[in-house]
Amino acid sequence: MRSPSPSRRPVSPTTRPRHVLAAAVVVLTLTACTAPAGSGPSEVRSTPPLGTPTFTPTTPAPPPPVLQPAGGAEVIAEGLEAPWSILRLPDGGVLVSERDSARIIEVLGDGPLRTAATVDGVVPGGEGGLMGLAHLPGTGDRAAYVYAYFTAASDNRIVRMPLTGAPGALALGPAEDVLTGIPKAGNHNGGRLAFGPDGFLYATSGDAGDRDAAQDPASLSGKILRMTPEGQPAPGNPFGNHTWSFGHRNPQGIAWDATGAMWASEFGQNTWDELNRIERGANYGWPIVEGQAGDARFIDPVMQWSTAEASPSGLTIVGDTLFLAALRGQRLWSVAPASSGGELAASAWFVDELGRLRDAVPGPDGELWIISNNTDGRGSPSPGDDRLYRVPLATAG
């Protein structure tokens, strides 16, 4: 656990870039998802089936543009209580989870809030409660679902609820268990959910206070998990169970770049917070190492920050730029380029202006949406907190 963040200053459109150089990035290819179970922790295989036609692309696709904030943060909605995850739906609907109330809030087009559902079985406490949300579109014979990660009485678990209604009147049906038994604690619960480009559901779990469990591939603690939409271990997982990568302390952000490579943000302990490129079956070192250790047994983060500057939670990619929402650091970090292979550089935006930031997602028309988290018990809320913001983006100069 960390000490509370300092008081905030009023919102200002001024940004303050800061540049940090990082180590070279290891490229992860989507073909790793099809490697057979039981392969070594860092092994990546790509062998097409016999008879599969092969070809060489004539012109590689150029990477997307590097983007950065181009103005101040505009308030979309306010009055949220300890919000955790922003979920933008394909039809324009917007849902936000509230950690302590167990409510899923619909944000209406002109800013008002309404309760779309209250999730049964949530037992908030410490850093636990209702956390990540994800969406699975419906098909002709199956309803659309909203997935939720939450802390229950005896564990952390993932459920899904059928989504009904149109924007302005969204509703969720009864919850169905997807994965239960993820260890819980007062802190280090992980909690982020996202469907990857391979169609499988990914979830982050913290070590839940059991540091050694992060090094055990058979445990659900301290992991990035990968599963089918029904909750079974996904085909190609490296250990034949739910584990995709291990040796994590408390990852709370995941995203994929234009090449399909996976990234994750992670809370360190006392020294370094991390941005990692995630490889199938790889070991990220916790609790044996924290930050860039140069130990060949583990994958080093591609970038690290002091815990006072970061405490990164939500992570997203817009264009070729990663955006990390920082809690204790009270700022938005941008890191680029994500997919071109160039040297990474980081800049800090809105330092001490919006307070603690919990999540970041792509908004409409190429903008960025972020959410503050000043009412979670560790911030210094002002009237109207917490807020959902939009940030205009432009190509970096």
Side-chain angles (χ1 to χ4, degrees):
M1 298 180 65
R2 305 234 181 96
S3 58
S5 303
S7 299
R8 307 187 291 127
R9 295 199 290 273
V11 175
S12 164
T14 304
T15 58
R16 306 180 208 174
R18 178 182 302 173
H19 296 281
V20 183
L21 297 181
V25 178
V26 179
V27 176
L28 169 70
T29 61
L30 281 179
T31 53
C33 298
T34 60
S39 299
S42 300
E43 186 176 355
V44 177
R45 298 180 181 177
S46 178
T47 304
L50 293 176
T52 301
T54 59
F55 65 94
T56 301
T58 55
T59 305
V66 171
L67 303 174
Q68 65 184 30
E74 176 188 347
V75 176
I76 299 173
E78 60 183 18
L80 294 158
E81 300 175 14
W84 213 93
S85 181
I86 310 165
L87 179 61
R88 296 188 60 247
L89 300 170
D91 62 3
V94 179
L95 299 175
V96 175
S97 61
E98 290 186 335
R99 187 191 68 187
D100 298 337
S101 72
R103 296 185 302 175
I104 296 179
I105 301 296
E106 182 179 10
V107 179
L108 304 182
D110 52 353
L113 309 176
R114 61 174 292 271
T115 300
T118 300
V119 181
D120 290 336
V122 177
V123 180
E127 296 175 3
L130 179 60
M131 292 175 278
L133 301 177
H135 174 252
L136 180 66
T139 63
D141 56 358
R142 179 182 49 73
Y145 284 102
V146 168
Y147 287 68
Y149 184 117
F150 68 83
T151 308
S154 60
D155 61 0
N156 287 308
R157 57 183 54 196
I158 301 167
V159 301
R160 66 180 185 180
M161 298 158 283
L163 174 66
T164 60
L170 295 173
L172 298 171
E176 168 192 354
D177 287 340
V178 173
L179 180 64
T180 62
I182 304 169
K184 60 169 279 190
N187 53 15
H188 305 180
N189 290 294
R192 195 65 61 185
L193 292 178
F195 279 94
D198 55 8
F200 294 115
L201 179 65
Y202 291 75
T204 68
S205 68
D207 68 10
D210 183 356
R211 296 156 55 104
D212 292 340
Q215 284 293 312
D216 178 4
S219 168
L220 293 174
S221 295
K223 306 294 185 296
I224 292 177
L225 308 172
R226 177 175 177 263
M227 68 201 78
T228 69
E230 295 72 34
Q232 298 301 311
N237 282 2
F239 307 105
N241 56 18
H242 288 88
T243 297
W244 184 247
S245 61
F246 66 109
H248 299 288
R249 181 177 181 268
N250 191 19
Q252 286 192 3
I254 46 178
W256 290 264
D257 65 27
T259 69
M262 185 180 183
W263 301 73
S265 57
E266 181 165 342
F267 288 78
Q269 185 173 15
N270 299 316
T271 307
W272 297 117
D273 291 325
E274 301 178 358
L275 175 64
N276 287 297
R277 289 284 292 267
I278 301 301
E279 301 181 37
R280 173 188 180 273
N283 185 347
Y284 288 82
W286 178 255
I288 302 167
V289 298
E290 176 184 359
Q292 295 170 349
D295 188 320
R297 295 173 296 171
F298 312 117
I299 301 294
D300 273 349
V302 298
M303 189 160 285
Q304 61 186 26
W305 296 268
S306 72
T307 56
E309 294 177 302
S311 298
S313 185
L315 171 68
T316 195
I317 297 175
V318 186
D320 211 31
T321 303
L322 299 108
F323 292 97
L324 294 84
L327 289 163
R328 184 181 174 190
Q330 299 194 59
R331 66 198 70 186
L332 176 74
W333 283 103
S334 66
V335 180
S339 64
S340 70
E343 187 173 42
L344 292 176
S347 300
W349 307 87
F350 310 114
V351 179
D352 295 335
E353 295 177 5
L354 309 178
R356 294 163 59 82
L357 298 181
R358 174 63 75 176
D359 198 14
V361 301
D365 303 319
E367 64 191 20
L368 179 73
W369 286 16
I370 55 179
I371 204 162
S372 65
N373 201 200
N374 298 307
T375 57
D376 70 345
R378 296 184 179 180
S380 299
S382 62
D385 273 339
D386 274 309
R387 296 175 172 90
L388 174 65
Y389 298 92
R390 64 166 55 92
V391 177
L393 300 176
T395 301

